[in-house]
Structure formats: C-alpha cells, structure tokens
Amino acid sequence: MTDIRYVAPQTLDEAVGAYAAAGSAARILAGGTDLLVQMRSGAVKPGLIVDIKKIRELTAIDELSGGSFRVGAAVPGAVLAEHPRFGKVWPGVLESVNLIGSTQVQGRASAGGNLCNASPAGDSVPAMIAAGAVVTVQGPDGRRELDVEDVPAGPGRTNLKPGEILVSFTLPPRPPGSSDAYLRMIPRTEMDIAVVGCGVSLTLKGGVCTHARVGLGAVAPTALLIEPAAQALIGSRLDDAAINAAANACRAACRPIDDKRGTIAYRTQIAGVLLKRTAKIAAERAQGK
Amino acid sequence: MNIVVNNKWIGQRTIRPDGVDKVTGRAAFAADTAMPGMIWGKVLRSPHPHARIRSIDTSRAEALPGVKAVVTSRDIVDFPIEKSVMLGIQDMRWMCRNVMARDKALFPGHPVAAVAATTEAIAARACELIEVDYEVLPWSIEIDDAIKPDAPILHEFNKFEGKPSNIVGTLEHKKGDIEQGFKQADVVIERTFTTRPVHQGYIEPHACLISVAADGKTTIWSSSQGQFMVRAMTAYLTGIPQSDIRAIPAEIGGGFGGKTIVYLEPLATLLAKKSGRPVKMVMTREEVMRATGPTSGSKSTVKIGAKKDGTIVAAQGTFYLQAGAFPGSPIRGAAGCSFAPYDIPNVLSVGFDVCSNRSKVAAYRAPGAPIGAYAVECVLDEVAESLKMDPLDFRLKNAAKQGTKAAHGPVFPRIGYVETVEAARNHPHYSAPLGKLQGRGVASGFWFNAGGESSAQVNITEDGNVVVTTGHPDIGGSRAGIANVCAELLGIDYRRVSVIIGDTQTVGFSNLTGGSRVLFASAMVVTQATEKVINTLRERAAKIWEIDPEAVKWENGAAHPASPNAGQFEPLTLEDLAEKAPMQGGPIGAGVQLNTQGAEGGFGTHICDVEVDIELGIARVIRYTAVQDVGRAVHPGYVEGQLQGGVAQGIGWALNEEYIYRSDGKVDNPGFLDYRMPVCSDLPMIDTVLVEVPNPKHPQGVKGVGEVPLVPVMAAVANAIYRAVGKRFYALPMSPPKVLEGLETPPLQQAAE
C-alpha cells in the first residue's frame, strides 16, 4: 500500500506550493464528498491530499460594495444556505448548491468541489453559468480569472493548469427585477444525479426581459452556456413563443449520450421542458411573486 | 386447538426486544465481529459473462508476503452433475459451482478463487496476481437471446425437447379444458409483458467471520436468513461434519429472501482451515449487486376469457423466468400463484426456467408471484374495462373462496380473499376524487405461505422470568411477536419474556426464515412448549397443595385452585414456583420440535393512485392502500410494517429498479445511486387495512404476512398509470424515459374480441 500524505495549510500560497510540488498524485480536499468516495472505490489513489478548508479566503462569503458576491470555493452548501443575504439575491444558485447530496453531505459539499469534480451532471454548475459567475484560480504562476463555463474540459477534466487551485466564485451585481432558478430532472425525488439540469437567470424591466443567461447540465460532456436560448428570451415578455424558442434552442444545443441514466431522445426533450419551467420560476421571482 | 380470545398481549404493539440495540448501534451484525489473529478474505471474480477456465495459477499470489491461504474450486466438494442433492430449494450441484466456478465462469462476478491475507489490501493485491487462463465464450443474458436455437449453451448436458438448451426446467398447472373454456368467452384478451431483474436491496452486504480450530471445530458468525442453512451448506461444500460447525446468527440488516443462500461462508471456512487463522469476509455493494441473487427478469404471456356477465371462463399463462447461471428460477410462484385468487374453471399455467449469463437468482419476497400477478392482474384490468365492470366488482364476482380448487392443486379452506376485496371497495380511498392526470388502479395477489420445521425451548429462570430460544433469524419483528404469544399464555407482562435466537448447537433444527413461515411455525412450537411449562407449573402447585393437578388452573401468571371444591389456597405465582423449583423437582422448562403443518395461503388487494407528469414521464404514487387477510395480527405494528415494506419494494420494481447491462455483458449500475430503489420522499404514507380471518389450523390464528404485500403492487401501479394517461405499459420498469416515449406514441388499439 502506498502511504497518503495529508496537509491542511493555513494560507493559499502554502497550499499551492504543496499541491504544485506533488504533481499529478495530489488531490484537493474541500468537502471530500466526491474525493473520499472515489478513494474508497479505488478510482483514485492520491499520494498527497491538500485540505483547503483552513484557508479563510476559500471558506468566506463576502457581499462586496458594488453588490457582487464572492463565495469561497470550499464553502459548504449548508453554510451558504445560512447566509442572510445570498439566497435572497441568488435563489437559483443556492437551490442548485443545496441539491448536491443529502442533508449530511450538505454539511461538507461545496460548489468549488462540484465544479472541479467536472461531472457533466454537477447541479451547481448550470446555475453558476446562468448567474454569469467568474472564478478566481491561483497557481504557481499567480492568479487568473475564468468564466465558470470555461472551467470544465470534459467528464472528470478541467482547464485548470497543474498546481492551480480554485479559490472563489464571483457573482455579478443584480439590477432590480432580477432573479434566477434551477431545476433538474431525476427519476427519484432525492439521492439522485441529474439526468438534465437547467439554470436560468434573468432581469425583467416593465415585463420585458432585458438580460438572460441559460445553463444546461448533463446534456453534453460539460455543462453548457446556451446563448441562443438567452437571445430568444431577451427582448420578449416571456410569452409562449419566446419560451418555446428558448426551449428549442436548448434542445438544439444538446449533445447527450445514451446511458443508464437516460437516452439521447429523453434528455433532449427534457432540456426544453426544464427550460420552460425554470424560466417561469425565475420570472416569477424577478417580479417578486 | 382453540383460538385465543380476550387477549392482553396478542394484538398489542409492544416494544421490540431488539429495538434498543438497533437504535443505539449496539446490535452486532456480522461485519461488526472480530477475533484475535483475524485475517481478511477476498474473492477473485470472473470479468467475463461466459468463459471456459483452462487453468488457474495461484503461485504468485501465494508468494506475496502477508498471504495466508488461497482456495479454488479444487478445494470445494464437487457434486457431480449426474445426481441431484437437494438442500431446501437449492441443489448442491449448482451451489458448489456457484460459490466457485469449476470448469466454466458463467457470469461477470462469478468467483474463481479466494485469498486470505493479513490485510484487505494485501488480499486484494493477491487476487490481482492470480493468473486465470480463460477461453472466452459467446454469451446471452436476455430470455429471448437465451432461448434462440443458436444460443450459446451454459450447461451442455441439459436437453430440452432432445436438444441442448438453456431451458432447464418447466412446470405446468392444468385445470379443466382450456380450449373449451375460451370458446365460451365473449371477451378474450391476450397480452405479453416483460419485467427486468431486480435486487432484494438489503442494506447490509453479505458478511461472515469464521474460525476453524486445530481439531476442526468450526464457528461461523454470519448474516443470513437461516443459521441451519448456513451450517448445512457449509458442511456440504467443505466436507466438515455438521456436528463440528457452530453457526451463530448475527443480527441481519435485511434479507427479503436473498440471504437464504450462502456465498462467502464455504470460502471463508476453507481459507480459515488452510491458514489456521480466523477469516473475515465482507462483500462490497458492487459484489452484492454483481454476484448475489437478484430475482428473475421475465417474459409472460397471459390470455383471459370472460362472459358478458363478468364470469371468467378460461385463463392461460406462459411465464419465462431468467434463472441466471444455474437452474432454479421461481416459476412455481409465477405459474402457481398468479391465478390463485380466482375461481376459474379452465386454467393452463406454464413456467419455463431459463439459464443465462447473469448471477444466479435467489429468493425475493414471494419469489415469482409478483411477476405472474403483474401480467395476470393487468390483463384482468383490461377484461373488466372491456366488460364495463368495476375492476373490484369483477374480481369479487370471480373470487376464490372456501371450496375453490386452485389450479396449482389445493382446495381452499376458509380464506379471506373476498373480505380483502370488499374492504378495498368500501375503503374511503376507493371513492376519493382524483385530480387531473391522476389515476387509480387496483390489483390482488396470493402467496402460498410455508410451515415446516421449527424448534423452541421455553425456560423459566430462577427468578421467575422466561427465556424463549427459537431458531429463526428475526427479519420482521418475530421476537416481539413471540414475546407477545408467550406472555399471553403465561399471563405475565411481556417484558418478562426474553426471546433470543439460538445458534445451531444450542437450539433444535429450525428451517430458514422464508416463505412467511417464521411466526406461523415458531408461535406454534412456542405455544406447545409454553403449554408444557404451564402443565409443569400446575403439577408443582398441586404437589405443594397436595391436590390433583387437574384441580389446578393457571391464570394471570399464577396457579390457582380450579374451583372452591379443590380447596382454599393462596395463588402460587411464577416467581413462587421458580423459587421452590430446586426442592420441587428441579428446573422448569420445555422444548418442542415440530414439522408444522397448516400454513394457509394469504391474499391481498391493493389500491394505488398515481399522478403522471406527462412532460417528464414521471409517474409518482400519491396514495396507496394495502388490504390483506393477515389471519391474526399478533403484533399489528410489525404486520403493518411488512405490508408497507412490500409495497415500497413493489413501487421500486414498477417504476425505476432494474439491472442495466452494458454491451459487454456486465451490469452497468451495481450500486444504489443508479440502481434506483425508492427513497422516503418518493413514497406517500402507505395505508394498510388488516383483515383478520384467523387461520383455523393455528393456535393464535396466524397466517404468513410478509410476502403477499409485494405481489399485487406492480399491476396496481400499472393499472393506475393507465387510468391517469389512457396508455397501457407492458414492460417494467415504467421509468421516465419509457413513460415519455410511450406517451408520445398513440395508444394501442384495444384487441378485445
């Protein structure tokens, strides 16, 4: 048996140093709700585990002066839910993060881990894409920012460079009349993985949609930003024609697989259904209903 | 025998004796056991669905430091193909080949070798070092593939209609003249149904710890539905005499039939014998899903004919069930139970047992019966609809009752089927309004129920309390039921009765926990043993009072003079008599061993409401009522629990559970994430109605209750979905992709003639 080293640095620099030095044998531990399962099943055998939960920046939730939110990559879902303001501004992002696993898992699981695990079905990713979140990463060459949709590269793979650690998500300021929503289709009601996930964020002014973003999960190797769906909504009063056009845009963007969780035909059909339902919820929230 | 009335404890919801241990985590399951010097066993399993094993080289594994023993099929007692050796429902010819592949590996996950080493990791590494030379063979998994003329044959010695075949058994029940019967019918409907293999889904994986002493004395701690089954099978497969094997039953974390068979125990015993060290083995969930018995997938064709007035005149069923790698699918339950609730003059019910390259099936709650009932009860729904009859009225019109001769043989005694249908029809659920896209379905079901061998010992302790030892692992609250029965008979508080499950060397032979037999059989032996104890107590009091024992009665936990004529004496309590026992003839206790008879079949009728999300294809059960003739509910809480549990499993089977296979023949969903059993939030509160028609052949009126509640469920759900959306589904599971696909195609034309 190979030994596993475990470190829990207090600073990001130390964490990046240790992580980069260990190369591909190292794994980042936030909540561990994916990593520990993968280790138990024998899928990964890390030589070094870098626990990032002791680093303040990774576990903080800050509402910045301009109205944007910065959420540390290792903030557990339960902690995000307890924040007095976040869920009011970003109810869709919060519900997506809170769908990761059971109540017990929520005490550990984080949006950062969900993104870096790079499952096409991760629940928080489509909602973060819809929110227009930007992530900050830090590596041996310093800090950089990426749009959240640019982080996943394929199932189980990200575009982070060797030694880079996801630090935080920054969600933009919200003009009045804005809200978001996330829905997923699962065969059961709990303890399941999304067959399709859909996040919608929008802004309404006098009943007209002035801004929209749509994210879809589990319909392609990575979660997708669906710009044509957003374009179909923007400028409309979210009438049936606009919603149907957005639903069709979602279906057109699907590149799913047939697998044990759903068929190509089913996933494609459902993507449109979820767009309609999610957009309706987001619009109701934006109108304060 | 008298039916006990005016009960103090029978019918009470007493606290289960094993409850505190279970909720505090003290209960010892097999995986909780440990011994000094213990080492770990692991199994090397075939990666192929079908392969001839040319050779196995274990030398590199044996050379690995930390490895203490390796076993292969050479170490397992061989039962030649030519001669059947039955142990219960299992044939040792197949068992010896299932626990360890001999000449061929027959499914992915089939054991080919086992290793014991000082750590689990070393044992796993050693498995990787074993070199197996496989000749990979063509394979088949689905029934239609396995019965094709050119299908790869699993067992070349097996012939069907003169040719090598994967059809390894047939069963036929016949009554009347089927052709004449259908000629009388005004309506005939014939449909074909398929179901997928589903796993019992017990939470606790198989586990055991086994120690073999230098003199061969063997101790087994394991989780099973029968310590005597574990002892006998281990003895057969290892050659150790049964008298040298003490099998100690651990608490069991679910079985549902799936633990009426052994997988690990013979291997761990041989590893312990070879290594001289206690060996522990615990399966992973993946091993459980790949290599332990689910129940059969199936293909059934059912044809039912009825007259305009609703009288069923003929019924025919053909049931093909997947046995997996070895013969033994539950065709008896499918062919025998499915028409049993009905008085039908002309019946032909035929079962085919089909081998294919998947794990050997094991019993699952009323084995085979839910598969048959699904097909029959769905066709009945269509017949009732075409006759414009209420589906419960239609069942009532054709209901089996006392004197009905069932197609599978027996003439029914007093049964409670009619009462279940009437109770369902009169239940507020049946007339409750339904909303949009909601539908209500009904279905009935039957299960044989079993009696058989049981032993019990009832001992009075020195302080005047009671210890009852029985031989059946408790998977449904049987200890609580036994405490109620014994306390009732003795007239004492049930908390003074301690019920324990003995091991194989401390209690008499008791057949396994299965067939809904445990409370029926053990209440019978405990009743007789307690009556013997009461007779002893009366004799002791008579001796003290110097009167005739016949003049002493036992009431409220004490001996009393039977009448004023017998004399004036202060009552002698159980405590008094226990205290005086050493001077009055010694210890008080009695053991009884019986091959119990008179377990009558059980019937249930279910009502299910569903709501269908037609955009997503999701059917959700929103209300469910299970009505069952339970004989006598000795402990109503656990009877209700059995009904609710059976319904929950049936809803899973109906809606989402299935083994999904990859193109390489391996199971693609060997875990609880993608093998979708229902979670709590998927289910409504499941209401139960206990109809009590006491079994006249049992001292407390007990009938088996544990298996019937799974039988009607899939049909009830399917019929409800039809009423909600106007579309009938003929394949399980009715999972969202399949429901959506079905809703997008126009409904089939009714084929009613």
Side-chain angles (χ1 to χ4, degrees), chain B residues 225-228 249 453-457 469-474 500-503 507-513 517-518 522 525:
Chain B
Q225 287 175 241
Q227 63 274 45
F228 291 90
E453 304 96 331
S454 276
S455 303
Q457 177 75 30
T469 309
T470 71
H472 306 294
D474 175 0
I500 64 154
I501 299 153
D503 65 58
V507 66
F509 178 78
S510 299
N511 210 326
L512 48 75
T513 296
R517 61 178 297 270
V518 167
S522 57
V525 288

mmCIF file of all heavy atoms in Angstrom, chain B residues 225-228 249 453-457 469-474 500-503 507-513 517-518 522 525:
data_model
loop_
_atom_site.group_PDB
_atom_site.id
_atom_site.type_symbol
_atom_site.label_atom_id
_atom_site.label_comp_id
_atom_site.label_asym_id
_atom_site.label_seq_id
_atom_site.Cartn_x
_atom_site.Cartn_y
_atom_site.Cartn_z
ATOM 1 N N GLN B 225 -30.517 -15.706 6.609
ATOM 2 C CA GLN B 225 -31.896 -15.981 6.999
ATOM 3 C C GLN B 225 -32.031 -17.384 7.576
ATOM 4 O O GLN B 225 -33.137 -17.885 7.730
ATOM 5 C CB GLN B 225 -32.829 -15.779 5.807
ATOM 6 C CG GLN B 225 -33.014 -14.313 5.475
ATOM 7 C CD GLN B 225 -33.833 -14.074 4.228
ATOM 8 O OE1 GLN B 225 -33.345 -13.493 3.281
ATOM 9 N NE2 GLN B 225 -35.081 -14.515 4.217
ATOM 10 N N GLY B 226 -30.898 -18.036 7.889
ATOM 11 C CA GLY B 226 -31.009 -19.360 8.488
ATOM 12 C C GLY B 226 -29.654 -19.910 8.865
ATOM 13 O O GLY B 226 -28.862 -20.276 8.009
ATOM 14 N N GLN B 227 -29.373 -19.934 10.171
ATOM 15 C CA GLN B 227 -28.094 -20.462 10.620
ATOM 16 C C GLN B 227 -27.961 -21.953 10.298
ATOM 17 O O GLN B 227 -26.868 -22.441 10.032
ATOM 18 C CB GLN B 227 -27.882 -20.170 12.115
ATOM 19 C CG GLN B 227 -28.878 -20.809 13.081
ATOM 20 C CD GLN B 227 -30.135 -19.979 13.269
ATOM 21 O OE1 GLN B 227 -30.708 -19.484 12.314
ATOM 22 N NE2 GLN B 227 -30.576 -19.812 14.511
ATOM 23 N N PHE B 228 -29.090 -22.681 10.291
ATOM 24 C CA PHE B 228 -29.012 -24.113 9.977
ATOM 25 C C PHE B 228 -28.733 -24.320 8.488
ATOM 26 O O PHE B 228 -28.042 -25.262 8.106
ATOM 27 C CB PHE B 228 -30.305 -24.816 10.412
ATOM 28 C CG PHE B 228 -30.454 -24.865 11.903
ATOM 29 C CD1 PHE B 228 -31.105 -23.853 12.591
ATOM 30 C CD2 PHE B 228 -29.883 -25.904 12.632
ATOM 31 C CE1 PHE B 228 -31.214 -23.883 13.971
ATOM 32 C CE2 PHE B 228 -29.997 -25.940 14.017
ATOM 33 C CZ PHE B 228 -30.657 -24.921 14.693
ATOM 34 N N PRO B 249 -26.079 -16.966 14.414
ATOM 35 C CA PRO B 249 -26.725 -15.948 13.581
ATOM 36 C C PRO B 249 -26.460 -14.546 14.112
ATOM 37 O O PRO B 249 -26.727 -14.257 15.271
ATOM 38 C CB PRO B 249 -28.213 -16.301 13.682
ATOM 39 C CG PRO B 249 -28.352 -16.987 15.007
ATOM 40 C CD PRO B 249 -27.043 -17.669 15.290
ATOM 41 N N GLU B 453 -40.190 -27.037 9.528
ATOM 42 C CA GLU B 453 -39.548 -27.402 10.785
ATOM 43 C C GLU B 453 -39.196 -26.196 11.649
ATOM 44 O O GLU B 453 -38.594 -25.240 11.173
ATOM 45 C CB GLU B 453 -38.245 -28.174 10.513
ATOM 46 C CG GLU B 453 -38.406 -29.404 9.664
ATOM 47 C CD GLU B 453 -38.122 -29.153 8.197
ATOM 48 O OE1 GLU B 453 -38.334 -28.019 7.720
ATOM 49 O OE2 GLU B 453 -37.674 -30.094 7.520
ATOM 50 N N SER B 454 -39.597 -26.317 12.910
ATOM 51 C CA SER B 454 -39.196 -25.307 13.889
ATOM 52 C C SER B 454 -38.982 -25.966 15.239
ATOM 53 O O SER B 454 -39.632 -26.965 15.559
ATOM 54 C CB SER B 454 -40.276 -24.234 14.051
ATOM 55 O OG SER B 454 -40.155 -23.258 13.056
ATOM 56 N N SER B 455 -38.080 -25.368 16.019
ATOM 57 C CA SER B 455 -37.812 -25.836 17.376
ATOM 58 C C SER B 455 -37.814 -24.631 18.305
ATOM 59 O O SER B 455 -37.459 -23.531 17.886
ATOM 60 C CB SER B 455 -36.439 -26.500 17.464
ATOM 61 O OG SER B 455 -36.347 -27.572 16.552
ATOM 62 N N ALA B 456 -38.215 -24.861 19.533
ATOM 63 C CA ALA B 456 -38.132 -23.785 20.519
ATOM 64 C C ALA B 456 -37.948 -24.381 21.902
ATOM 65 O O ALA B 456 -38.385 -25.510 22.175
ATOM 66 C CB ALA B 456 -39.390 -22.923 20.498
ATOM 67 N N GLN B 457 -37.296 -23.642 22.734
ATOM 68 C CA GLN B 457 -37.110 -24.020 24.127
ATOM 69 C C GLN B 457 -37.640 -22.875 24.978
ATOM 70 O O GLN B 457 -37.303 -21.716 24.735
ATOM 71 C CB GLN B 457 -35.607 -24.247 24.393
ATOM 72 C CG GLN B 457 -35.244 -24.571 25.816
ATOM 73 C CD GLN B 457 -35.606 -26.017 26.201
ATOM 74 O OE1 GLN B 457 -35.603 -26.914 25.369
ATOM 75 N NE2 GLN B 457 -35.933 -26.208 27.473
ATOM 76 N N THR B 469 -35.990 -19.537 23.482
ATOM 77 C CA THR B 469 -34.974 -19.641 22.444
ATOM 78 C C THR B 469 -35.609 -20.269 21.214
ATOM 79 O O THR B 469 -36.203 -21.345 21.301
ATOM 80 C CB THR B 469 -33.802 -20.523 22.916
ATOM 81 O OG1 THR B 469 -33.357 -20.049 24.191
ATOM 82 C CG2 THR B 469 -32.645 -20.471 21.933
ATOM 83 N N THR B 470 -35.513 -19.545 20.086
ATOM 84 C CA THR B 470 -36.020 -20.105 18.833
ATOM 85 C C THR B 470 -34.871 -20.195 17.838
ATOM 86 O O THR B 470 -33.752 -19.744 18.116
ATOM 87 C CB THR B 470 -37.151 -19.240 18.222
ATOM 88 O OG1 THR B 470 -36.568 -18.033 17.719
ATOM 89 C CG2 THR B 470 -38.212 -18.907 19.255
ATOM 90 N N GLY B 471 -35.146 -20.734 16.675
ATOM 91 C CA GLY B 471 -34.065 -20.980 15.714
ATOM 92 C C GLY B 471 -34.149 -20.185 14.437
ATOM 93 O O GLY B 471 -33.513 -20.544 13.451
ATOM 94 N N HIS B 472 -34.906 -19.087 14.452
ATOM 95 C CA HIS B 472 -35.094 -18.336 13.207
ATOM 96 C C HIS B 472 -34.565 -16.919 13.308
ATOM 97 O O HIS B 472 -35.044 -16.159 14.151
ATOM 98 C CB HIS B 472 -36.581 -18.213 12.876
ATOM 99 C CG HIS B 472 -37.290 -19.521 12.843
ATOM 100 N ND1 HIS B 472 -37.006 -20.475 11.913
ATOM 101 C CD2 HIS B 472 -38.255 -20.038 13.638
ATOM 102 C CE1 HIS B 472 -37.781 -21.525 12.119
ATOM 103 N NE2 HIS B 472 -38.541 -21.289 13.163
ATOM 104 N N PRO B 473 -33.624 -16.525 12.444
ATOM 105 C CA PRO B 473 -33.236 -15.117 12.404
ATOM 106 C C PRO B 473 -34.484 -14.241 12.230
ATOM 107 O O PRO B 473 -35.390 -14.586 11.474
ATOM 108 C CB PRO B 473 -32.331 -15.036 11.174
ATOM 109 C CG PRO B 473 -31.745 -16.417 11.066
ATOM 110 C CD PRO B 473 -32.841 -17.350 11.508
ATOM 111 N N ASP B 474 -34.491 -13.136 12.963
ATOM 112 C CA ASP B 474 -35.668 -12.255 13.027
ATOM 113 C C ASP B 474 -35.515 -11.167 11.975
ATOM 114 O O ASP B 474 -34.704 -10.262 12.127
ATOM 115 C CB ASP B 474 -35.737 -11.660 14.439
ATOM 116 C CG ASP B 474 -36.851 -10.631 14.613
ATOM 117 O OD1 ASP B 474 -37.590 -10.357 13.645
ATOM 118 O OD2 ASP B 474 -36.975 -10.124 15.742
ATOM 119 N N ILE B 500 -34.648 -15.006 22.436
ATOM 120 C CA ILE B 500 -33.364 -14.963 21.741
ATOM 121 C C ILE B 500 -33.336 -15.998 20.618
ATOM 122 O O ILE B 500 -34.141 -16.930 20.595
ATOM 123 C CB ILE B 500 -32.165 -15.163 22.688
ATOM 124 C CG1 ILE B 500 -32.223 -16.548 23.307
ATOM 125 C CG2 ILE B 500 -32.097 -14.086 23.750
ATOM 126 C CD1 ILE B 500 -30.854 -17.022 23.691
ATOM 127 N N ILE B 501 -32.410 -15.785 19.714
ATOM 128 C CA ILE B 501 -32.275 -16.686 18.572
ATOM 129 C C ILE B 501 -31.034 -17.540 18.825
ATOM 130 O O ILE B 501 -29.920 -17.017 18.925
ATOM 131 C CB ILE B 501 -32.159 -15.888 17.272
ATOM 132 C CG1 ILE B 501 -33.443 -15.063 17.080
ATOM 133 C CG2 ILE B 501 -31.947 -16.815 16.086
ATOM 134 C CD1 ILE B 501 -33.251 -13.827 16.271
ATOM 135 N N GLY B 502 -31.238 -18.819 18.968
ATOM 136 C CA GLY B 502 -30.143 -19.713 19.305
ATOM 137 C C GLY B 502 -29.252 -20.004 18.118
ATOM 138 O O GLY B 502 -29.625 -19.781 16.962
ATOM 139 N N ASP B 503 -28.038 -20.495 18.413
ATOM 140 C CA ASP B 503 -27.191 -20.932 17.315
ATOM 141 C C ASP B 503 -27.452 -22.413 17.040
ATOM 142 O O ASP B 503 -28.245 -23.057 17.727
ATOM 143 C CB ASP B 503 -25.716 -20.634 17.623
ATOM 144 C CG ASP B 503 -25.195 -21.412 18.804
ATOM 145 O OD1 ASP B 503 -25.245 -22.655 18.764
ATOM 146 O OD2 ASP B 503 -24.761 -20.771 19.789
ATOM 147 N N VAL B 507 -29.947 -24.849 19.874
ATOM 148 C CA VAL B 507 -31.399 -24.991 19.728
ATOM 149 C C VAL B 507 -31.621 -26.023 18.632
ATOM 150 O O VAL B 507 -30.756 -26.240 17.778
ATOM 151 C CB VAL B 507 -32.064 -23.628 19.406
ATOM 152 C CG1 VAL B 507 -31.645 -23.100 18.053
ATOM 153 C CG2 VAL B 507 -33.586 -23.709 19.493
ATOM 154 N N GLY B 508 -32.761 -26.671 18.679
ATOM 155 C CA GLY B 508 -33.054 -27.723 17.712
ATOM 156 C C GLY B 508 -33.212 -27.184 16.306
ATOM 157 O O GLY B 508 -33.430 -25.980 16.091
ATOM 158 N N PHE B 509 -33.145 -28.097 15.339
ATOM 159 C CA PHE B 509 -33.187 -27.701 13.934
ATOM 160 C C PHE B 509 -34.403 -26.828 13.634
ATOM 161 O O PHE B 509 -35.528 -27.127 14.020
ATOM 162 C CB PHE B 509 -33.224 -28.933 13.028
ATOM 163 C CG PHE B 509 -33.324 -28.567 11.571
ATOM 164 C CD1 PHE B 509 -32.201 -28.135 10.881
ATOM 165 C CD2 PHE B 509 -34.542 -28.603 10.915
ATOM 166 C CE1 PHE B 509 -32.294 -27.766 9.547
ATOM 167 C CE2 PHE B 509 -34.646 -28.227 9.576
ATOM 168 C CZ PHE B 509 -33.515 -27.811 8.902
ATOM 169 N N SER B 510 -34.142 -25.767 12.958
ATOM 170 C CA SER B 510 -35.204 -24.866 12.530
ATOM 171 C C SER B 510 -34.909 -24.479 11.095
ATOM 172 O O SER B 510 -33.809 -24.008 10.793
ATOM 173 C CB SER B 510 -35.238 -23.611 13.404
ATOM 174 O OG SER B 510 -35.484 -23.973 14.755
ATOM 175 N N ASN B 511 -35.874 -24.682 10.241
ATOM 176 C CA ASN B 511 -35.669 -24.328 8.837
ATOM 177 C C ASN B 511 -35.555 -22.810 8.719
ATOM 178 O O ASN B 511 -35.876 -22.073 9.637
ATOM 179 C CB ASN B 511 -36.827 -24.867 8.004
ATOM 180 C CG ASN B 511 -36.387 -25.197 6.594
ATOM 181 O OD1 ASN B 511 -35.527 -24.516 6.040
ATOM 182 N ND2 ASN B 511 -36.966 -26.228 6.024
ATOM 183 N N LEU B 512 -35.121 -22.364 7.568
ATOM 184 C CA LEU B 512 -34.734 -20.956 7.478
ATOM 185 C C LEU B 512 -35.928 -20.000 7.534
ATOM 186 O O LEU B 512 -37.081 -20.407 7.413
ATOM 187 C CB LEU B 512 -33.872 -20.717 6.244
ATOM 188 C CG LEU B 512 -34.308 -21.268 4.893
ATOM 189 C CD1 LEU B 512 -35.439 -20.472 4.315
ATOM 190 C CD2 LEU B 512 -33.115 -21.265 3.956
ATOM 191 N N THR B 513 -35.575 -18.739 7.727
ATOM 192 C CA THR B 513 -36.569 -17.670 7.740
ATOM 193 C C THR B 513 -36.927 -17.367 6.294
ATOM 194 O O THR B 513 -36.141 -16.774 5.564
ATOM 195 C CB THR B 513 -35.984 -16.424 8.429
ATOM 196 O OG1 THR B 513 -35.721 -16.737 9.790
ATOM 197 C CG2 THR B 513 -36.957 -15.262 8.369
ATOM 198 N N ARG B 517 -42.917 -17.954 7.006
ATOM 199 C CA ARG B 517 -43.225 -19.072 7.875
ATOM 200 C C ARG B 517 -42.891 -18.845 9.330
ATOM 201 O O ARG B 517 -43.312 -19.619 10.187
ATOM 202 C CB ARG B 517 -42.463 -20.317 7.397
ATOM 203 C CG ARG B 517 -40.929 -20.157 7.411
ATOM 204 C CD ARG B 517 -40.245 -21.444 6.986
ATOM 205 N NE ARG B 517 -40.547 -22.498 7.928
ATOM 206 C CZ ARG B 517 -39.806 -22.763 9.006
ATOM 207 N NH1 ARG B 517 -38.702 -22.079 9.238
ATOM 208 N NH2 ARG B 517 -40.151 -23.707 9.831
ATOM 209 N N VAL B 518 -42.112 -17.821 9.662
ATOM 210 C CA VAL B 518 -41.481 -17.816 10.985
ATOM 211 C C VAL B 518 -42.478 -17.662 12.119
ATOM 212 O O VAL B 518 -42.486 -18.461 13.046
ATOM 213 C CB VAL B 518 -40.385 -16.740 11.061
ATOM 214 C CG1 VAL B 518 -39.952 -16.517 12.502
ATOM 215 C CG2 VAL B 518 -39.196 -17.200 10.250
ATOM 216 N N SER B 522 -43.007 -20.713 14.520
ATOM 217 C CA SER B 522 -42.403 -20.604 15.851
ATOM 218 C C SER B 522 -43.457 -20.307 16.912
ATOM 219 O O SER B 522 -43.338 -20.783 18.042
ATOM 220 C CB SER B 522 -41.237 -19.615 15.869
ATOM 221 O OG SER B 522 -41.631 -18.364 15.438
ATOM 222 N N VAL B 525 -44.633 -23.811 17.914
ATOM 223 C CA VAL B 525 -43.768 -24.589 18.822
ATOM 224 C C VAL B 525 -43.646 -23.892 20.175
ATOM 225 O O VAL B 525 -43.611 -24.564 21.213
ATOM 226 C CB VAL B 525 -42.365 -24.885 18.232
ATOM 227 C CG1 VAL B 525 -42.468 -25.928 17.134
ATOM 228 C CG2 VAL B 525 -41.653 -23.648 17.735
#
